[in-house]
Amino acid sequence: VPKMALELAHIILAVDDLAAAMATLRAEGFTVVPGGTHASGATHNALIVFQDQTYIELLAPTGAEPRTDVAAPDFRSLLGRSGWAGYALRVNNARSLVKGLRRRDVAVGDPFEASRERPDGKTARWQMAMLEGTASPFFIQDITPLNLRIPDNKEATTHKNGVTGVISIGFVVADLETAIRRYSQLLGVLPSVNDSGAHFDLEGIWLTLMLPENDEMQAHLDQRGDAPYQLVLRSRDASLSGNTPARKVLGAQIEIARGVVTSRQWEE
């Protein structure tokens, strides 16, 4: 399988009310910064940015209808119910990525430009490519510098709960072999497989495929399909004795783990 330079960019948390969601996540110890309004005018966002340059995007409707005078994607299709809605992989060259995926019979649309106007009036621009019928994942290539799209200052990337970055994103799948084939095709890497599932190493962040082990996981699979199930975050907070149990915040399962999980630990 050919290697592609893919990195986790961000995971999308669909919410109904942006201001209320920002307040909820601040109460959970996260620093939340306003992101701005997408070019369509129909969605706006806020960001929880980590030191490893990954982030959680809180995505919400503005209540406005999409503008007809600009050629801009309408991201409202990712909304509908609160919770994880998709995730983005950062690529160096969206056009060559699309060509490579098509050579491997992956149905993917042409790259298109998207943008967001920040609260300070500056505009972040990027190219996107979407797979057919899903936002898990989609691909993003920055046109403007990355630090225009996500802040890289210490105030924005420091969180009271000590979180510094993403360890893994977990997905519930109906059939492990089929899911491994799909993800190997998409990511250009093969997983390590153990009793807890299949783990794809994406530049040090794990994408984990799991079979449903309980009613809640099965319900997630039935209702949300291939949308992410769980985000595991790394924290430097020494007061955490081991992991904080996974819990749902705004319909999204989040677990905070102290220290670093290495590939060796996954494979043991």
Side-chain angles (χ1 to χ4, degrees):
V1 180
K3 181 89 172 78
M4 287 188 288
L6 291 174
E7 295 179 311
L8 178 67
H10 61 282
I11 182 168
I12 294 176
L13 176 52
V15 299
D16 302 324
D17 179 316
L18 194 59
M22 289 170 75
T24 297
L25 284 151
R26 282 174 179 150
E28 295 285 334
F30 292 105
T31 300
V32 190
V33 295
T37 303
H38 292 107
S40 72
T43 51
H44 56 166
N45 69 10
L47 314 175
I48 298 172
V49 185
F50 304 121
Q51 288 168 20
D52 63 1
Q53 293 191 322
T54 61
Y55 63 99
I56 297 171
E57 175 185 15
L58 310 184
L59 182 68
T62 59
E65 284 301 306
R67 290 173 59 175
T68 53
D69 59 333
V70 290
D74 182 359
F75 297 127
R76 289 179 306 170
S77 59
L78 297 178
L79 304 174
R81 64 165 76 219
S82 188
W84 300 129
Y87 67 104
L89 299 175
R90 200 159 66 227
V91 299
N92 298 326
N93 189 321
R95 290 199 176 282
S96 66
L97 172 94
V98 164
K99 280 182 192 160
L101 288 173
R102 286 174 177 167
R103 274 198 299 272
R104 297 208 297 280
D105 297 324
V106 176
V108 58
D110 290 332
F112 57 89
E113 189 173 313
S115 64
R116 163 167 54 85
E117 186 175 327
R118 306 190 329 176
D120 63 5
K122 292 178 180 171
T123 299
R125 292 164 54 234
W126 60 90
Q127 276 204 317
M128 285 175 71
M130 305 282 295
L131 299 169
E132 277 188 16
T134 182
S136 287
F138 62 96
F139 305 96
I140 188 165
Q141 175 195 349
D142 284 291
I143 296 171
T144 49
L146 176 64
N147 66 1
L148 201 60
R149 189 163 56 84
I150 57 167
D152 56 3
N153 59 72
K154 203 171 178 189
E155 295 76 34
T157 61
T158 304
H159 304 277
K160 281 182 185 164
N161 56 19
V163 169
T164 58
V166 174
I167 292 174
S168 71
I169 304 179
F171 303 84
V172 184
V173 299
D175 181 279
L176 205 52
E177 278 184 33
T178 305
I180 287 171
R181 269 200 305 277
R182 173 182 180 248
Y183 267 78
S184 300
Q185 250 186 329
L186 276 179
L187 304 175
V189 292
L190 295 170
S192 56
V193 182
N194 62 15
D195 292 345
S196 62
H199 311 281
F200 288 88
D201 182 2
L202 214 59
E203 304 293 332
I205 291 172
W206 295 90
L207 300 188
T208 295
L209 311 178
M210 309 171 277
L211 293 169
E213 293 173 5
N214 53 45
D215 290 347
E216 195 220 2
M217 291 172 83
Q218 185 62 52
H220 176 91
L221 182 60
D222 294 343
Q223 292 161 13
R224 296 174 185 257
D226 56 11
Y229 169 67
Q230 179 175 316
L231 181 66
V232 183
L233 298 169
R234 176 184 293 111
S235 175
R236 286 204 181 121
D237 186 349
S239 69
L240 288 173
S241 55
N243 294 7
T244 61
R247 52 193 292 263
K248 277 201 169 171
V249 181
L250 300 171
Q253 182 123 316
I254 298 175
E255 183 176 331
I256 298 177
R258 186 161 59 90
V260 178
V261 176
T262 66
S263 56
R264 268 196 307 283
Q265 282 167 279
W266 279 120
E267 288 161 5
E268 273 166 12

